[in-house]
Amino acid sequence: MTSTQREGLMSEQRRDFIKGSAAVAALGAAGVSPGAWAAGSDKPEKEEVRIGFIPLTDCASVVMASVLGFDKKYGIKIVPSKEASWAGVRDKLVNGELDMAHVLYGLVYGVHLGIGGPKKDMAVLMTLNHNGQALSLSKALADKGAVDVASLAKVMATDKREYTFAQTFPTGTHAMWLYYWLASGGIDPMKDAKVITVPPPQMVANMRVGNMDGFSVGEPWNHRAIIDGIGVTAATSQDVWKDHPEKVLGTTGDFVAKYPNTARAVIMAVLEASRWIDAGLQNKVKMAETIAAKSYVNTSVDAINQRILGRYQNGLGKTWDDPNHMKFFSDGSVNFPYLSDGMWFLTQHKRWGLLKEHPDYLGVARKINQIELYKQAAAQLKVSVPKDAMRSSKLIDGVSWDGKDPAKYADSFKIRAA
């Protein structure tokens, strides 16, 4: 790095630090006074809230809400609970061992409809993050020329064998990014490959011993595979869908019905933490240092702190700055629980045969996504909310999604389960 580049970087860091410090100060000035919602009819019904999380970068807002004490402002105590697998998170949410969880969007919807586990009415309180996952291929496969989906398709067509790819939960986000990405390159994930389920922290170890050719997972495990020299990043999830929904703050319908004030208080605490993380470089670096600890993600800080700033490398010499890196707040646009986001996962569950019939897409989303509760919390923090609960996006294959005709959309894909 030249002296001019170093000066530029230092200047950027100084600007970000000043911006971040000002934003943190503004939280105290513009936010709710300590103890808001903590007395009278709005007092949280349950003051200690056990929230499960999986060791992933995007658990950060839940962890930081606890570490920084945002929870205390609203009369609650968040107890983060490190979990081993998404199946474990599912089971503990359903049986009440966990009050809430940092959880896969599609897992919540799957449980609500009785696919991917027991059937239980579920609730999405808010979206925790956009972007920041990736599709990794083994270094061995990359050495044969498979570095993106097009070249992967060519290698699979010429070097015939069984190819194995891993995702983290059958109805979850990572499974859907994997399937959508493969299909965009003409690879049928149901016919042309074997797909297995592996918990996120075990992805790198399994690739190291040759159990899979590629995987779809959240950070920091894609970057960890590069650091360890065993994998390359073939695509990011934001390549598949820019500003896609990812993890949510999930709970059961019963919990929201019984403890609405508690649910709102947790939304407010996590929303504040989300805003704090995105306030500047200094906060993101502090967040990375915090969650890298053994009690949370259990990895080195350098596996986390580059990609949260949008500084990417693919493990083959290519580097780039990605403006669509993992976002936790982005002026509140991340956190609103759009109905169309939840509906999209249902369309993919139908596409891949997890749902045999078309559900009531909009009806299910309206029941699960707690928009009114979220709006109440956002109003207290002066966080803007969109006028429309639907949004439109164009995905990697050029197909647009706006939630207007979900059944037609689900049936429109050339590659889908029979």
Side-chain angles (χ1 to χ4, degrees), residues 102-379:
H102 146 262
V103 65
L104 300 161
Y105 215 134
L107 183 154
V108 175
Y109 271 66
V111 171
H112 190 88
L113 293 177
I115 56 173
K119 189 176 189 300
K120 177 86 172 178
D121 282 356
M122 300 297 288
V124 165
L125 300 177
M126 63 186 289
T127 305
L128 295 177
N129 68 294
H130 283 174
N131 307 325
Q133 322 298 296
L135 292 306
S136 291
L137 295 175
S138 70
K139 189 68 165 55
L141 207 51
D143 289 342
K144 292 183 178 180
V147 297
D148 56 24
V149 73
S151 52
L152 173 64
K154 288 180 182 177
V155 169
M156 289 177 68
T158 54
D159 185 8
K160 299 280 189 180
R161 63 175 177 82
E162 183 177 74
Y163 287 82
T164 301
F165 299 97
Q167 40 76 18
T168 65
F169 191 79
T171 62
T173 54
H174 303 120
M176 300 308 118
W177 309 143
L178 175 65
Y179 299 165
Y180 207 102
W181 179 69
L182 290 172
S184 75
I187 301 167
D188 187 331
M190 303 299 148
K191 295 178 181 177
D192 302 334
K194 178 184 177 183
V195 178
I196 61 175
T197 300
V198 174
Q202 296 175 25
M203 286 291 189
V204 175
N206 273 275
M207 184 177 275
R208 183 179 286 111
V209 297
N211 286 348
M212 82 257 296
D213 296 288
F215 58 68
S216 173
V217 74
E219 297 301 342
W221 305 117
N222 301 285
H223 191 53
R224 182 81 255 170
I226 291 173
I227 291 173
D228 292 358
I230 61 166
V232 304
T233 293
T236 65
S237 56
Q238 53 267 30
D239 291 332
V240 177
W241 177 359
K242 177 186 168 185
D243 293 336
H244 67 79
E246 182 52 41
K247 305 303 185 302
V248 294
L249 183 61
T251 185
T252 62
D254 290 344
F255 189 94
V256 174
K258 191 173 181 181
Y259 308 115
N261 295 342
T262 302
R264 182 173 51 231
V266 176
I267 294 171
M268 293 167 76
V270 175
L271 199 51
E272 282 222 40
S274 303
R275 181 160 60 180
W276 181 87
I277 292 168
D278 274 10
L281 180 146
Q282 193 77 5
N283 292 2
K284 289 181 179 178
V285 170
K286 174 66 175 174
M287 175 270 276
E289 291 170 349
T290 302
I291 69 169
K294 188 175 182 179
S295 53
Y296 300 119
V297 179
N298 191 24
T299 191
S300 57
V301 176
D302 65 339
I304 298 173
N305 65 8
Q306 294 302 300
R307 291 192 171 186
I308 60 168
L309 300 173
R311 296 168 187 165
Y312 277 76
Q313 56 170 300
N314 71 346
L316 296 166
K318 178 186 174 184
T319 62
W320 71 99
D321 289 328
D322 191 338
N324 304 310
H325 55 81
M326 188 180 292
K327 306 285 177 65
F328 291 89
F329 183 66
S330 195
D331 295 325
S333 63
V334 167
N335 311 107
F336 185 79
Y338 287 95
L339 297 178
S340 54
D341 286 359
M343 291 165 65
W344 184 85
F345 289 103
L346 293 180
T347 68
Q348 299 307 296
H349 294 165
K350 177 64 174 69
R351 176 185 182 183
W352 301 117
L354 295 164
L355 285 170
K356 302 306 177 188
E357 305 293 336
H358 288 291
D360 175 4
Y361 291 96
L362 184 56
V364 170
R366 280 178 171 157
K367 187 168 184 183
I368 296 176
N369 290 25
Q370 304 296 306
I371 288 178
E372 288 310 310
L373 204 57
Y374 176 82
K375 283 182 176 178
Q376 291 169 18

